[in-house]
């Protein structure tokens, strides 16, 4: 099955229904899964709240003869709007409880809570400005963030999940695994008998999960992601159900590929700033260039991922930042040599 396939619904092993919920971004769709049991269905990650997504769900449920009242549980692997957005909409129609980790839910309230993300937007734009983003571009960020409020409304009433515990999904018990890096609080779900993994956006086929610096989370997001990959590599997985693209079987191999991708990117960054010290924004443009031109959504992801790599190198003592004209400029430390 290729990503060009327009079919919204696929039937997977175990009677699992995969619904490709459309997205107004380059990712094109997010995967939702309906996992059956004797009482009905558990819904995993219902998607972003848009008119197109609602229409896709209406057509998909009708095609599969699945009613709203047969959906008894809603689970969110993590808090990003393309996974979280329709949770409240579905809860209103099904009466189902919505489960999410406490850390994931806290992030949703930072972005779309009482102040509708005003504090978060201020922190993010301040960070971007400090990293050399032009003011005319910085001014596009806050309105872009606010535009997601309607895409996650209504917000659900939630029940918290906890990593390390198990949860009944379908006819099986699934182990919940803390999987930070792409999203703090993200959970992967492992079924040890079938050797299946619901992996959210932590391990994706064909594309690399975004790893972003998040203001107020004073963690090395990239190191958290790499550590999580190392943990996940220890699980025997025969079939992985990702948040984007299609289910895949080479889970362990894909983890190795993802780790290698980030090692190459770290080396590339060191090589670039060894030739010419630069701000985080200049570095972002060098790395992503025309792929993000004129697209605020893609720029935000690219900028935050660039900074995640840059700050990782800084924590390792491989690059150093100095303030010049109100911006941070980064260079390779004099004692550091870059391998050819």
């Amino acid at each position: 099955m290729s990503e060009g396939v327009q079919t919204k619904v696929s039937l997977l092993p175990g009677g699992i229904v995969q619904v490709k919920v459309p997205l107004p971004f380059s990712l094109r769709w997010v995967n939702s899964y309906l996992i059956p049991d004797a009482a009905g269905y558990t819904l995993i990650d219902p998607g972003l709240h848009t008119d197109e997504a609602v229409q896709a769900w209406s057509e998909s449920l009708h095609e599969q003869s699945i009613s709203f009242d047969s959906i008894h549980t809603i689970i969110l692997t993590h808090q990003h709007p393309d996974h979280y957005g329709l949770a409240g909409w579905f809860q209103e129609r099904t009466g189902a409880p919505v489960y999410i980790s406490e850390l994931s839910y806290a992030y949703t309230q930072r972005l779309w809570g009482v102040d509708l993300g005003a504090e978060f937007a201020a922190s993010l734009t301040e960070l971007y400005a400090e990293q050399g983003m032009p003011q005319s571009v910085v001014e596009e960020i806050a309105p872009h963030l606010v535009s997601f409020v309607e895409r996650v409304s209504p917000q659900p009433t939630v029940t918290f999940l906890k990593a390390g515990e198990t949860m009944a999904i379908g006819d099986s018990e699934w182990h919940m695994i803390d999987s930070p890096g792409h999203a703090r609080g993200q959970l992967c779900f492992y079924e040890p008998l079938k050797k299946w993994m619901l992996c959210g956006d932590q391990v994706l086929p064909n594309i690399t999960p975004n790893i972003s610096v998040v203001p107020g989370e004073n963690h090395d997001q990239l190191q958290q992601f790499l550590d999580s990959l190392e943990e996940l590599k220890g699980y025997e997985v025969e079939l992985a159900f990702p948040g984007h693209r299609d289910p895949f079987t080479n889970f362990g191999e894909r983890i190795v590929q993802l780790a290698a991708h980030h090692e190459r990117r770290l080396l590339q960054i060191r090589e670039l700033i060894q030739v010419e010290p630069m701000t985080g924004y200049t570095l972002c443009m060098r790395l992503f260039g025309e792929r993000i031109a004129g697209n605020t959504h893609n720029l935000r992801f690219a900028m935050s991922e660039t900074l995640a790599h840059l700050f990782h190198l800084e924590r390792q003592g491989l690059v150093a930042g100095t303030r010049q004209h109100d911006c941070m400029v980064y260079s390779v430390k004099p004692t550091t040599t870059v391998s050819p």
Side-chain angles (χ1 to χ4, degrees):
M1 187 185 301
S2 71
E3 64 180 271
V5 175
Q6 297 301 309
T7 303
K8 298 184 187 73
V9 177
S10 299
L11 298 181
L12 305 177
I16 295 175
V17 179
Q18 174 193 5
V19 180
K20 296 178 178 178
V21 184
L23 294 172
F25 317 127
S26 56
L27 282 173
R28 299 179 59 190
W29 80 78
V30 61
N31 286 328
S32 293
Y33 299 101
L34 288 160
I35 303 179
D37 58 32
Y41 293 89
T42 295
L43 170 59
I44 311 292
D45 291 347
L48 190 69
H49 191 175
T50 65
D51 291 342
E52 294 77 14
V54 168
Q55 180 180 352
W57 269 115
S58 177
E59 294 172 358
S60 299
L61 293 175
H62 177 75
E63 175 186 328
Q64 297 301 310
S65 299
I66 297 174
S67 63
F68 283 113
D69 60 11
S70 69
I71 298 172
H72 57 70
T73 305
I74 300 168
I75 295 175
L76 304 172
T77 60
H78 64 292
Q79 68 273 32
H80 290 160
D82 55 329
H83 297 254
Y84 172 87
L86 273 168
W89 185 89
F90 263 99
Q91 188 174 54
E92 285 186 344
R93 285 154 180 80
T94 64
V98 173
Y99 292 92
I100 188 173
S101 78
E102 189 169 3
L103 286 175
S104 286
Y105 185 68
Y107 183 84
T108 71
Q109 298 312 290
R110 285 191 70 196
L111 264 69
W112 313 302
V114 175
D115 72 350
L116 300 182
E119 183 178 343
F120 180 89
S123 298
L124 187 64
T125 54
E126 180 181 353
L127 172 64
Y128 285 175
E130 182 183 59
Q131 296 297 324
M133 182 178 283
Q135 186 60 32
S136 60
V137 182
V138 169
E139 290 172 355
E140 299 173 1
I141 300 299
H144 169 69
L145 292 173
V146 170
S147 73
F148 280 91
V149 173
E150 65 179 352
R151 296 174 176 181
V152 299
S153 299
Q155 293 196 53
T157 299
V158 304
T159 302
F160 293 139
L161 297 173
K162 188 175 180 181
E165 297 182 351
T166 61
M167 184 174 191
I169 305 174
D171 60 359
S172 303
E173 291 291 325
W174 297 66
H175 297 273
M176 292 181 280
I177 307 164
D178 183 32
S179 303
H182 171 73
R184 188 176 180 219
Q186 180 179 222
L187 296 173
C188 290
F189 296 78
Y190 181 64
E191 207 284 34
L193 298 179
K194 297 184 179 74
K195 299 181 174 60
W196 288 354
M197 184 76 79
L198 285 163
C199 49
D201 285 358
Q202 194 72 349
V203 183
L204 300 175
N206 311 121
I207 58 175
T208 57
N210 175 257
I211 311 301
S212 286
V213 163
V214 178
E217 294 183 6
N218 297 318
H219 308 283
D220 186 336
Q221 280 85 0
L222 179 57
Q223 188 61 56
Q224 286 190 332
F225 179 71
L226 296 173
D227 290 344
S228 174
L229 290 185
E230 190 63 29
E231 179 185 358
L232 290 172
K233 193 166 62 174
Y235 289 85
E236 185 178 354
V237 176
E238 294 186 359
L239 185 60
F241 301 88
H244 301 278
R245 304 304 190 260
D246 286 308
F248 60 105
T249 57
N250 61 330
F251 186 77
E253 177 186 359
R254 185 60 186 149
I255 285 175
V256 172
Q257 293 170 354
L258 288 172
H261 161 79
H262 289 289
E263 290 300 324
R264 291 193 299 271
R265 177 52 57 87
L266 291 168
L267 179 59
Q268 181 186 15
I269 289 172
R270 290 170 62 198
E271 289 173 338
L272 284 170
I273 63 178
Q274 185 176 51
V275 172
E276 176 189 0
M278 60 186 72
T279 65
Y281 180 76
T282 301
L283 177 61
C284 177
M285 292 299 104
R286 292 285 182 88
L287 293 173
F288 294 95
E290 292 301 317
R291 286 181 288 167
I292 58 174
N295 187 312
T296 305
H297 181 78
N298 289 345
L299 171 61
R300 178 168 63 88
F301 276 81
M303 184 70 178
S304 290
E305 178 153 318
T306 299
L307 295 180
H309 286 78
L310 194 55
F311 293 173
H312 176 77
L313 288 170
E314 188 175 30
R315 285 173 182 260
Q316 290 186 320
L318 298 174
V319 306
T322 57
R323 186 172 295 276
Q324 300 179 19
H325 307 294
D326 297 325
C327 293
M328 296 299 295
V329 176
Y330 295 86
S331 58
V332 174
K333 281 194 170 182
T335 56
T336 302
T337 58
V338 177
S339 302

